[in-house]
Amino acid sequence: MIFKTFWRTKTKQTDKKSATLGTLDSFKYKTQIETRFADFDMLGHVNNAVYFTYLEIARTKYWNSAISWNWRETGIVIAQASMDYISPILIEDKVSIYVRTSRIGNSSFDLDYTIVKHINGKEEICTKGKTICVSFSHTSKKAIPIPESEKAKMVAFEQL
């Protein structure tokens, strides 16, 4: 049964940059995620809240191996996180996550994620996510400009 509301006539606006960047070829970093029995709900698929944990795991691996972010000097806080669920992840699925820096501003930058499951040698997109990350000072407890050394590493790795 489909219900239509007449008071909500606006269509959902999407970020134009996110809408145009859809291929997995544009990602330069990919990591595997090990699912745990605790990740699954009573219906046998990964609970929606767990997907954000997967993003956190992939983001940390990305920053440590691809970017080599200096955690002691500059912290990062997540200002916004969003997720588009496309297809469920089931207990027998093998899962990988693609991560990329898609925008670099003065004190914030965006990370895009695509979660895929491997089926018969092909990758099926399960979920697309995005986080807005803010460079943060541990001492002043405020947002700060992204250090030039970290920005240069992101630009070089992503070839932005």
Side-chain angles (χ1 to χ4, degrees), residues 14-32:
T14 57
D15 180 354
K16 290 181 182 178
K17 186 171 186 179
S18 297
T20 59
L21 298 174
T23 65
L24 296 177
D25 295 339
S26 62
F27 288 86
K28 293 176 180 37
Y29 183 81
K30 175 183 171 184
T31 187
Q32 288 190 332

Side-chain angles (χ1 to χ4, degrees), residues 19-117:
T20 59
L21 298 174
T23 65
L24 296 177
D25 295 339
S26 62
F27 288 86
K28 293 176 180 37
Y29 183 81
K30 175 183 171 184
T31 187
Q32 288 190 332
I33 296 292
E34 297 292 325
T35 58
R36 307 163 299 171
F37 184 76
D39 295 346
F40 297 90
D41 60 19
M42 290 176 40
L43 299 175
H45 55 73
V46 171
N47 183 281
N48 62 330
V50 175
Y51 285 83
F52 289 100
T53 302
Y54 291 169
L55 298 189
E56 180 181 12
I57 292 167
R59 177 171 60 242
T60 303
K61 288 180 173 184
Y62 171 74
W63 284 331
N64 285 337
S65 63
I67 308 301
S68 301
W69 191 276
N70 186 345
W71 299 103
R72 290 194 171 104
E73 277 187 30
T74 309
I76 298 172
V77 294
I78 304 301
Q80 183 178 6
S82 61
M83 188 83 62
D84 290 328
Y85 301 96
I86 299 165
S87 173
I89 297 173
L90 306 174
I91 200 159
E92 64 272 3
D93 292 333
K94 301 295 180 211
V95 180
S96 296
I97 301 181
Y98 290 88
V99 183
R100 72 171 164 223
T101 303
S102 59
R103 180 194 65 85
I104 302 173
N106 183 41
S107 62
S108 67
F109 56 95
D110 297 350
L111 294 181
D112 292 338
Y113 310 84
T114 300
I115 301 177
V116 298
K117 58 184 174 182

Side-chain angles (χ1 to χ4, degrees), residues 140-155:
S140 70
K141 307 289 187 224
K142 293 182 180 179
I144 59 170
I146 300 168
E148 288 303 319
S149 60
E150 309 299 347
K151 191 181 286 189
K153 289 186 249 180
M154 287 190 283
V155 168

